Amino acid sequence: PVTSLTPITPFQVWLAVVVVSSLSYGSYLLQKFLSAQGSLLFTSILGGLYSSTATTVVLARRLKQDPANRHEFQSGIVLATALMYLRLGVVVAIFNISLALELAGPLFVLCLSGMGLAALCLKLSRRAEQGEQVEVPQPGNPLELRGGLIFAVLFVVISIASAWSKARFGQAGIYWLAVIVGVTDIDPFVLSVAQGGVAGLDLRATAVAILLAASSNNALKAAYSIIFAGWRRSIGIVSSLVALSLLGCGLAAWLALRT
């Protein structure tokens, strides 16, 4: 173990960094090579696999600059969040296939619901005045040494915090921690619990914690949309993300109470 405060080993930290960086870099390369197509829909899909939070910030800024295409940008942000659930499923499956199977149903429902809400935003755009062709935002290179080191440190810190919360407050402590870390980067938390970073936490409780973290992260993206695009332009985004958050919390409660 890295320390006596967590069962996480240096190998697990290294593996988590490699997996997350590889998924992000694959999406980054596709965006760079195929950006000439100028498809906001395609960019949103890859952005959700790269980082739905980063995609939300970029598209919210573009939404403020180009309000004529507001519904396209709103749809892109919601779609990126829908693909976040697919990304979560893939990441969890790499480390813990049993946990991935436990999460498969809820993540599938959330992904489809997000796609439906994104399609609704896109449908509304056809009733509005169309602006000029949307310029596709360019992603940043995710393979930076500083970024990898920060992720590794966060991974260990969150693993220690998870172990302490479980020992001090039981499963309820993990659930509250999931909500708190959801307003930052959920990857370190998800990979930590998926690799057994919290001793004594069963599959169902781990799945509930991941769903709560993802729901909390949607609230963060809704706040970013308001900050960077303004409240009036973000009503569709906020409504969709809040709906997904509530649905995620409902599915988490269903898992927790299921016999």
Side-chain angles (χ1 to χ4, degrees), residues 44-209:
S44 299
I45 292 173
L46 293 177
L49 300 176
Y50 168 70
S51 171
S52 60
T53 302
T55 302
T56 296
V57 172
V58 171
L59 295 185
R61 285 172 171 166
R62 290 301 320 283
L63 171 59
K64 184 176 182 180
Q65 297 169 2
D66 186 10
N69 284 302
R70 61 188 180 280
H71 294 293
E72 285 88 343
F73 287 117
Q74 291 173 357
S75 176
I77 290 173
V78 177
L79 182 59
T81 295
L83 270 294
M84 173 196 71
Y85 295 111
L86 176 61
R87 181 178 187 270
L88 278 178
V90 172
V91 169
V92 171
I94 292 173
F95 294 99
N96 192 329
I97 190 64
S98 298
L99 178 59
L101 292 175
E102 185 77 16
L103 281 167
L107 291 180
F108 180 74
V109 171
L110 288 165
C111 184
L112 280 186
S113 300
M115 289 181 177
L117 291 169
L120 180 61
C121 290
L122 197 59
K123 182 178 181 180
L124 292 175
S125 69
R126 294 171 185 156
R127 301 177 185 173
E129 179 182 354
Q130 299 294 312
E132 299 178 358
Q133 182 167 351
V134 177
E135 178 186 351
V136 179
Q138 294 297 316
N141 190 331
L143 289 189
E144 296 179 354
L145 181 59
R146 183 178 63 179
L149 290 175
I150 291 174
F151 181 90
V153 171
L154 285 175
F155 184 82
V156 175
V157 169
I158 289 177
S159 176
I160 295 173
S162 299
W164 178 84
S165 298
K166 174 64 167 58
R168 183 69 175 80
F169 303 106
Q171 289 187 0
I174 294 296
Y175 296 158
W176 280 109
L177 181 64
V179 173
I180 293 171
V181 300
V183 298
T184 56
D185 183 1
I186 64 173
D187 280 341
F189 176 78
V190 171
L191 271 65
S192 174
V193 295
Q195 292 196 78
V198 184
L201 194 67
D202 59 33
L203 278 180
R204 184 173 301 177
T206 303
V208 170

